[in-house]
Amino acid sequence: MQKLKEHLNPKSNINELLDEAYDEALEDENFKNFVGRIRLKKEQLKKYTSLLEESEKEYSNCQNCKGLLECKNKLEGFAYLPKVVNESLEFSYKACKYKKKMDKENKYHENTYLYNLPKEIEQASIKKIYKTDKARYNTIIWLTEFIKKYKENPHQKGLYLCGNFGSGKTYLIAAMLNELAKDNVKSAIIFWPEFLNDLKASFNSPIKTEFKTKYDIVKKAPLLLIDDIGAESVTPWARDEILCPILQYRMDEKLPTFFTSNLDLKALETHLSITSKGDEIIKAGRIISRIKQLTEYQELISKNLRK
């Protein structure tokens, strides 16, 4: 009668199945060693056999791994590992040593706000700058000196860098900003034509703070790069209500500001003067005057690195 009751008892059957699965898993020496380090009794461990097998496999992968490129786990750079909590197990993803090292090395990216720019700009580095073209020397020297001067006094003039398409203007300045980001200096790098379009779209957004948040990030960033100014479609709103106040604020606060453009300042002034309202030379001149107050001027004529 007792055996019949046990046979009909679902708990008894479940326990037997759990025991069988756990004992079978223990036949693997790696699994046995893995669970042997967990301070729980078999009665608790057997409830997690499948999860422990998965965890042991990921743990073993980590023991033989030589870098993130070789990672075999489901989530690159992480292992699914158990932790004893109140006499039971909780599983979570833990970063491996390579992932932790990479995150530490790339933490400085948190100091840079990028808008609509390629991945290579985010990863721009002084060490990776192409230096064999002598046409780039003056700019590289200028940016290197800026890093030194900024650390002594943050109220420095920025740079207006114009030149041919693909000469590496944006990369050079971004590399300098990334170098300062490693010292916890915050900056913003924005692709100007697209930023204006997005700002205009957010102006009528139901989220009332969206426009102001985006605008203030650019206006008040300790360091700012306005990339490809002169490539935008000029409107009185973009020029007089957006660009001019940004430049005026940064001029008043002595915040270093950088520009890249395919246009020299004279050509940019002509570009900014032409709107649907006709030629507005005076208003365009106000922008150029502020740019001159904020920056030093250089031209970079180099081979096209994008070919």
Side-chain angles (χ1 to χ4, degrees):
M1 181 63 73
Q2 182 65 28
K3 290 185 178 180
L4 179 60
K5 288 181 178 179
E6 289 177 358
H7 181 72
L8 296 175
N9 186 345
K11 288 185 178 180
S12 177
N13 289 336
I14 291 173
N15 277 325
E16 286 180 8
L17 291 172
L18 290 175
D19 281 331
E20 288 177 10
Y22 185 74
D23 290 340
E24 185 178 336
L26 284 175
E27 293 175 7
D28 183 292
E29 196 65 26
N30 289 331
F31 181 85
K32 183 177 180 179
N33 292 333
F34 181 72
V35 297
R37 291 190 288 269
I38 303 173
R39 295 184 177 180
L40 281 180
K41 295 180 180 180
K42 176 182 176 180
E43 289 305 308
Q44 292 289 17
L45 291 172
K46 69 182 184 181
K47 300 175 184 177
Y48 306 95
T49 300
S50 60
L51 290 175
L52 285 168
E53 286 180 309
E54 179 183 347
S55 185
E56 185 279 320
K57 183 178 179 181
E58 296 218 333
Y59 176 80
S60 294
N61 288 339
C62 286
Q63 301 311 298
N64 302 314
C65 184
K66 296 180 180 179
L68 289 175
L69 293 177
E70 295 184 8
C71 183
K72 297 178 181 179
N73 290 345
K74 290 182 179 179
L75 189 59
E76 185 180 284
F78 293 86
Y80 190 59
L81 300 175
K83 179 181 179 181
V84 178
V85 179
N86 297 325
E87 296 299 312
S88 63
L89 288 182
E90 290 184 0
F91 291 79
S92 61
Y93 284 99
K94 303 293 183 182
C96 71
K97 61 182 179 181
Y98 301 111
K99 175 63 175 173
K100 288 178 180 177
K101 181 182 178 183
M102 187 185 73
D103 288 346
K104 184 178 181 181
E105 291 174 349
N106 292 330
K107 189 173 178 58
Y108 70 90
H109 289 308
E110 296 175 3
N111 291 320
T112 307
Y113 172 83
L114 287 95
Y115 184 83
N116 202 41
L117 287 152
K119 188 73 174 178
E120 67 169 341
I121 298 304
E122 181 184 357
Q123 301 295 334
S125 169
I126 292 288
K127 294 180 180 179
K128 296 178 182 178
I129 284 176
Y130 175 73
K131 299 174 182 176
T132 58
D133 187 346
K134 292 182 179 180
R136 300 159 65 86
Y137 282 7
N138 287 340
T139 302
I140 293 171
I141 291 170
W142 191 99
L143 294 171
T144 303
E145 287 299 312
F146 179 87
I147 293 172
K148 297 177 183 177
K149 291 189 292 185
Y150 185 85
K151 290 178 180 179
E152 296 171 2
N153 177 15
H155 301 302
Q156 302 288 334
K157 276 194 171 187
L159 183 68
Y160 184 94
L161 187 59
C162 73
N164 59 289
F165 176 83
S167 58
K169 302 181 294 294
T170 306
Y171 188 97
L172 286 171
I173 297 177
M176 181 268 298
L177 295 178
N178 282 340
E179 192 67 24
L180 286 167
K182 294 175 184 177
D183 288 327
N184 208 34
V185 178
K186 298 188 182 301
S187 61
I189 306 175
I190 58 168
F191 180 59
W192 185 242
E194 195 60 37
F195 178 76
L196 285 174
N197 290 337
D198 187 60
L199 203 61
K200 185 176 181 180
S202 66
F203 187 76
N204 296 317
S205 170
I207 305 174
K208 299 302 180 184
T209 59
E210 185 179 354
F211 174 87
K212 188 177 188 308
T213 298
K214 292 177 181 177
Y215 182 74
D216 282 350
I217 286 173
V218 173
K219 179 181 175 182
K220 299 179 180 180
L223 294 168
L224 171 65
L225 168 56
I226 295 179
D227 181 48
D228 216 5
I229 190 170
E232 76 281 9
S233 298
V234 180
T235 66
W237 174 81
R239 182 192 61 204
D240 304 331
E241 303 299 326
I242 302 301
L243 181 58
C244 190
I246 287 175
L247 300 186
Q248 184 63 50
Y249 178 87
R250 300 188 65 80
M251 194 168 67
D252 292 343
E253 298 298 321
K254 297 182 174 60
L255 297 174
T257 308
F258 298 80
F259 301 84
T260 63
S261 181
N262 294 332
L263 307 176
D264 62 24
L265 286 173
K266 187 172 183 60
L268 180 65
E269 184 171 9
T270 300
H271 172 76
L272 291 171
S273 69
I274 301 172
T275 70
S276 58
K277 294 185 177 182
D279 291 353
E280 297 182 305
I281 298 297
I282 293 177
K283 291 183 177 181
R286 289 175 184 161
I287 300 294
I288 300 302
S289 175
R290 285 163 174 77
I291 290 175
K292 288 179 177 178
Q293 287 289 321
L294 284 164
T295 65
E296 296 180 19
Y297 177 86
Q298 279 195 16
E299 291 186 3
L300 176 59
I301 307 300
S302 180
K303 68 179 183 179
N304 187 346
L305 300 175
R306 298 184 187 178
K307 288 183 178 179

